[in-house]
Every structure is written in structure tokens, then in C-alpha cells.
Amino acid sequence: MYIVRKNIHGKEYYYLAASFRKEGRVKTKTIAYLGKTRKVAEEKKKELEKERKKEAEKPEKRVEGKEKKRIVITNIDDLATFCKRKGFVYPTAEIYGGLAGFWDFGVFGAELKNNIKKEWKDFFVQEREDIVNIDGSIITHPKVWQTSGHVESFKDVSVICKKCKKPNKIEHRELGKAVCEFCGGELDKESAKSLNLMFTTQIGPLEKTSVKSYLRPETAQLIFTNFKQVVENQRLKLPFGIAQIGKAFRNEIAPRDFLFRTREFEQMEIEYFIMPKENCPYKIPDIKVFVYSTEMQEKKKEAEEMKISEALKRKIIKRDWHAYWLSNCLLWFRRLGCNMKNFRIRQHPKEELAHYSTDCWDIEYRFPFGWKELLGIADRADYDLSRHEKFSGKDLKMFIEGKGKILPHVVAEPSFGVERAFLVFMLEAYEYDNKRQNIVLRLDPKLVPIKAAILPIVKKPGFVKIARKIYDELKKEFNVFYDSGGSIGRRYARQDEAGTPVCIAIDGQTLKDSTVTLRDRDSTEQIRIKIENLKEIIGRVIKGESLLKLGRIVKTRVK
Ligand code: GAP
């Protein structure tokens, strides 16, 4: 890398440049703006080189198989550090030392989280005819949680590690078998305590008359308690689903791994109701994934990669409905850019099934800390509706022409954790680019917090005027960002780290012919287009079209 002096409109500017070979020719690329004097430029160059060296020494992990080599996250704490630095996620109330299991989402994080929820709702509710969406309360009648079985059964065992003294969360069946999840030490069986995970609260400010209730540990129950009214209001016909996105709270014994196990989180859940024994009328999307059945687990076999439809044919997955929902949930992740090699489906062995479930498949993800549950798809049959019927004394049955009154079955309950999905998208997207020497967040444009950044090359009035006009126009439709501070290289790097798919540069030529350059995040290649086409092009990029292909269409590609 070397310093280049440029004379622009009679003034000197210094830049950092590098030469590289492309198709047999030596080319020069400007990397960063260094300042207006050689002395400042030399100091800045040294600083930049030091920073780049530090970044380049970060550890590497390669995705297995034939995947291209990528430098990605190998430790979840590195992701937490990155998320804090870029304003995605902070420990809550950090000025007071934080609070275990609680996190706050910064500007980029809040945006990304909202985009995840929007994409989920679009895919599972809006784009379908058979699913509707509700929004239930966080605190509800305490009888709901008695009826659902949560008061009696929603428990984990806390056991203290003999070595590191930390409390561990284990399930009852693991007592005597599990080792400490923090240090691998022996767990003290004598210290085992069975604890309910629900947060309690008092309804009513007067102690004498207040009633004990709970913060909901899942959104699902509100779907069951509102079932009859939603069915009648919407005139629903089986099969159908009721969806809900909202907060859930669990007083976890050992919150850990950044956003993976927290005490406050959000769920995106669907209860999918069918006539008992009814078959799935829908086509099963073609998804290939690692399949890990109970039989494979018992026989200590490896998970086998196969199409979900094949797993159904071979009766590894018993019900067509389960195959259908597993495929659709995976398809949602694949559609948003995830690599299916990092996903597997694992069936719950009998002793692992929740108190309400007759069969359950988890979709697991290859997290930096191992294969772990990303979401669960349980078959709840008529457990919930029949219990609520019994304990409320209300008839929750549907009247079906020719069949009479029936209580529908929940054949699948796809239950997503928003924060776990957030982690997956970040892990899939995060990449340290050796050539650029900065992190590039290759998030799907639908998910990215900022859709485009508007960057005047220099802060001169003519450039700024046009840039601000573009910004004012675009912000009416997209979440865009205006940045005129620092070298263009640094500004590109900042946007790469936020995942911004398009950077719009306003340069000398803009002043002459009302065109701007658009820089593609993934390739760094640039196209030049007319300002009047910006809205359309950005809209199409967000919908999934390639910026470079669009550039070829407008045929004004920059050499
Ligand atoms: N209604 C079914 C139900 O709640 P679950 O397996 O207990 O099932 C569903 O939870 C999903 O909620 C999990 O797969 C996970 O994505 C998310 N989740 C559960 N506990 C969590 C926690 N402590 N922190 C973050 N996400 C959690």
C-alpha cells in the first residue's frame, strides 16, 4: 500500500492506494482518504496498517464441505463484542453492571429484529390464506398457566458445580449424568433443586387484595384461550393456523451464550389446527438437511443428510404434516440466505418431550458452541384445547358440516425464538474480508438495518446539496443513511459492517450528468445510474435482484 497525492480543483488530497492484478493487468485501487498534508497522511497510513494487521490476525473458521473458505465467528463472545461495537445489542443497563439474561437492542439491532419479525409474518401469515395473526397480553389469568400445566411442570433442575460453584440448568432426566456446562466439573447431586421457570408478579397495587400471576413463558397459550373467538370472527375452516409474535419470559437458572438463552425474549409461534387424522394437502418444499431421528440417536449413529420428502418416504418422519412444517421453517431460513449445511432436524426422544407434546422435532443450528435448538415443532394434539375446555367449562369445539362438533388437533406448533433467529442470521452473514480488511455483514437485503447509504465524495456545497436531496427522497420509502464524515473508504467499510447492500456515491460526474455510482456490498463492484432510477433499483435489490445484473440492464456500468 502506498500514498497517492491527488490534485482536485487546485487543492491537494492524499489517499492510500494499492495495486493488484486483474486479468493480467495491473490496476490501482484507492483504499482510504488520508488527509490534506503528507505528514498527516503518513501518520494515518501507519495507524491504518496497524488496525488492518490486528484484524488480519483474528482466528479463522471454515465452513465444512465444499463451501468456499470464509473467515467467520468461532466464538459467540466475539459476536457479542461486534454487536456492541456496531450498536446491534448491548447488555441491559450496562452503566449499572448489566443484568444476567437481559439485553437491549441498539439502533441497528432493533431494526434487524423488526425486519426478522416482518419477514416471518410476511412468509407465514401474509403470503398464506390459512393463517391469521393475533396479539395477546403478556400477563393473563393465572388459571391459564395452571390449566396449561406450566405451574406444575414448567421446571428445570438447578445443580451447583462442585468445581466452579456455578448453578447449572439441567432436566430431571439428566440428574446424575450431566457434567458442568461451564467447566466440565462434577455436579453436586445434593444441591439439586427443582425450580419453576415462570416469573411471578402481583396484579393490583394493594398487597392484601392483589393476585399472584405470571409473565407468560410462551405466547402459545393466548392462542388457545382466544381460539373460539378468532375462529368465529374470521370464519376459519380447518386446516388453519393462528400465529402470534410477542415477548416471553423465563427465569432461566443459567442464562448463557449471548442471546441464546436469555430471561426475556420474543417468540414467533403458530398453532396449526387440523381435523384429527387429516392428511396434509400441501406440497412439501424440497429441502435437503441433516436428519437426526430418535433411532439414530439411540443407536449412536451420525445424522444423515437427505431430502425431507425422502425422510417422510422412509418413515423417519412419520407424519406428512411434520415434514411439511419442518420444510417450510427451513425454507424461510434458506430464502433469507442461510446455508442448509449448518442446519439439522432432531427428533426428541420420549423422555425429552415436553409435558404437552406427543412428538417433537427441533430444528438445530451449528452454533459456535455446538448443535443447539434453534426452534421446536411440537405435535400438541388436543392437549391444550381439551384442558382449557375442562377447566374453563366452556365449549371450544368447532361445528363441521357433516361431522358435527369436533375439537381440532394441533398437529404442529412451529415455535421460533426471535433472538435465536437473530443469532443465526448474524452468524451466517458475518465475514472478515481479507482483501478489504474489514468485516462484511452479508445479510439478506430484506433484513439489513440500512437499505442504502448516501455518501457525497467530498463535503463541498454542490455535492452535499445533491446528496441531501437524494437522501430526503429515498428516506420516504427506505431506511437510508446519510454520511459525509471521513474518507470514502472508511465510510464504505462502516456500511459493510452494518450490512448495507448499496452505497450511493455522489461524485464530480454527478454534478455534470445527474448520475451516481452504486457500490455493491458483496463484490465492491460499482455501477453508474441516473438519479431518477435510484428508487426503483434499490427497491429491486431489497426484493433480491442482483445490483450488478440490474447495472447491466441499465447498461451504464462503470469500467
Ligand atoms: N410454545 C412452545 C415453546 O415455547 P420451547 O421449545 O420452550 O417451546 C420455543 O420454546 C423457542 O423459544 C425455542 O426453540 C427458542 O427459539 C426460544 N426460546 C426458548 N427459551 C429461550 C430462552 N431462554 N432464550 C431465548 N430463546 C428461547
Side-chain angles (χ1 to χ4, degrees), residues 179-366:
V179 288
C180 175
E181 60 176 335
F182 301 98
C183 71
E186 193 191 336
L187 298 176
D188 181 4
K189 264 166 73 179
E190 300 298 309
S191 71
K193 269 189 225 144
S194 184
L195 302 172
N196 195 297
L197 300 187
M198 282 195 293
F199 277 98
T200 54
T201 187
Q202 295 298 123
I203 304 172
L206 287 174
E207 219 174 283
K208 268 193 180 162
T209 52
S210 68
V211 177
K212 181 181 168 190
S213 191
Y214 307 91
L215 303 195
R216 66 183 182 197
E218 61 169 16
T219 63
Q221 288 310 314
L222 284 301
I223 294 176
F224 298 120
T225 52
N226 289 300
F227 174 78
K228 195 73 190 266
Q229 300 192 72
V230 178
V231 168
E232 285 172 8
N233 295 153
Q234 302 301 315
R235 297 167 45 236
L236 297 174
K237 302 264 176 310
L238 291 168
F240 65 81
I242 303 179
Q244 186 176 194
I245 300 177
K247 290 263 184 187
F249 302 82
R250 295 184 189 179
N251 207 350
E252 294 285 357
I253 293 163
R256 64 172 305 179
D257 294 319
F258 187 29
L259 298 176
F260 181 79
R261 197 194 296 153
T262 59
R263 289 178 165 140
E264 175 177 339
F265 54 97
E266 276 188 271
Q267 289 185 318
M268 307 184 281
E269 295 197 293
I270 300 167
E271 302 301 325
Y272 200 82
F273 299 93
I274 62 160
M275 282 280 289
K277 300 206 172 88
E278 180 183 6
N279 286 332
C280 174
Y282 307 124
K283 191 171 178 287
I284 294 167
D286 218 1
I287 303 266
K288 203 173 183 189
V289 73
F290 293 104
V291 176
Y292 201 28
S293 65
T294 23
E295 198 188 325
M296 291 170 187
Q297 292 165 61
E298 277 157 15
K299 292 188 176 161
K300 307 257 175 293
K301 284 186 181 169
E302 296 270 298
E304 216 182 298
E305 197 181 13
M306 67 181 89
K307 283 192 179 162
I308 299 233
S309 51
E310 188 195 332
L312 180 67
K313 221 187 252 166
R314 285 170 56 187
K315 298 199 166 35
I316 297 170
I317 298 173
K318 303 276 179 320
R319 287 198 81 164
D320 50 3
W321 281 111
H322 297 168
Y324 172 77
W325 278 107
L326 284 163
S327 301
N328 267 290
C329 294
L330 287 163
L331 179 63
W332 183 71
F333 283 102
R334 194 176 75 179
R335 209 169 84 140
L336 291 168
C338 294
N339 181 349
M340 287 295 110
K341 298 256 181 227
N342 290 327
F343 289 73
R344 79 173 181 193
I345 58 168
R346 187 181 71 85
Q347 190 177 21
H348 280 203
K350 259 208 176 79
E351 64 279 11
E352 212 181 297
L353 287 173
H355 59 274
Y356 49 73
S357 170
T358 53
D359 191 9
C360 183
W361 284 84
D362 280 346
I363 293 184
E364 296 191 327
Y365 182 75
R366 198 198 300 258

Side-chain angles (χ1 to χ4, degrees), residues 10-25:
K11 283 192 181 160
E12 283 186 353
Y13 297 94
Y14 289 85
Y15 293 88
L16 189 65
S19 298
F20 61 98
R21 197 169 278 279
K22 195 174 175 191
E23 289 151 8
R25 288 184 171 182

Side-chain angles (χ1 to χ4, degrees), residues 342-401:
N342 290 327
F343 289 73
R344 79 173 181 193
I345 58 168
R346 187 181 71 85
Q347 190 177 21
H348 280 203
K350 259 208 176 79
E351 64 279 11
E352 212 181 297
L353 287 173
H355 59 274
Y356 49 73
S357 170
T358 53
D359 191 9
C360 183
W361 284 84
D362 280 346
I363 293 184
E364 296 191 327
Y365 182 75
R366 198 198 300 258
F367 285 99
F369 40 88
W371 285 106
K372 291 277 167 198
E373 176 187 339
L374 165 59
L375 67 109
I377 303 180
D379 184 332
R380 293 177 88 125
D382 63 352
Y383 174 85
D384 301 271
L385 286 183
S386 62
R387 298 239 336 158
H388 284 299
E389 256 204 335
K390 185 171 161 200
F391 290 96
S392 69
K394 301 277 178 336
D395 177 6
L396 299 180
K397 293 184 189 67
M398 286 178 77
F399 181 78
I400 313 277
E401 281 283 341

